Amino acid sequence: ILWLKNNGIDLPPVFEHNKIDFCKDNKISILIEDKLDTALKGAKENIHAILVNRGWNDHIYKSKVYRTYNYD
């Protein structure tokens, strides 16, 4: 949350069961996610999906999903 505030992002974090529908309904075009399945669903719906690198997804690379290793 602090990173969002420090970077001028006023939207609160979203903890929804269906993040993709929430993004579509609210015209959110970027999804930052650590679950590959959710990132792929977002990418399929033309939402820019950024996959946060974690131990459970660090061996998986898919097109249309951007990977980040830190928040810088």
Side-chain angles (χ1 to χ4, degrees):
I1 295 173
L2 184 59
W3 184 90
L4 294 172
K5 289 180 183 178
N6 288 340
N7 287 281
I9 300 172
D10 296 326
L11 293 173
V14 178
F15 301 101
E16 292 281 330
H17 288 286
N18 195 327
K19 296 175 185 176
I20 305 309
D21 284 345
F22 183 88
C23 288
K24 289 172 27 182
D25 293 346
N26 291 281
K27 297 181 175 45
I28 297 171
S29 62
I30 298 174
L31 173 67
I32 301 171
E33 180 61 52
D34 65 350
K35 185 177 177 188
L36 178 64
D37 185 53
T38 304
L40 288 172
K41 287 177 183 175
K44 187 176 181 180
E45 294 291 334
N46 295 316
I47 298 169
H48 298 284
I50 300 171
L51 185 66
V52 179
N53 195 62
R54 295 286 187 249
W56 56 86
N57 70 28
D58 64 354
H59 63 286
I60 303 167
Y61 292 89
K62 298 285 184 177
S63 62
K64 298 182 94 177
V65 174
Y66 303 94
R67 181 176 292 273
T68 184
Y69 296 92
N70 59 49
Y71 292 101
D72 294 334

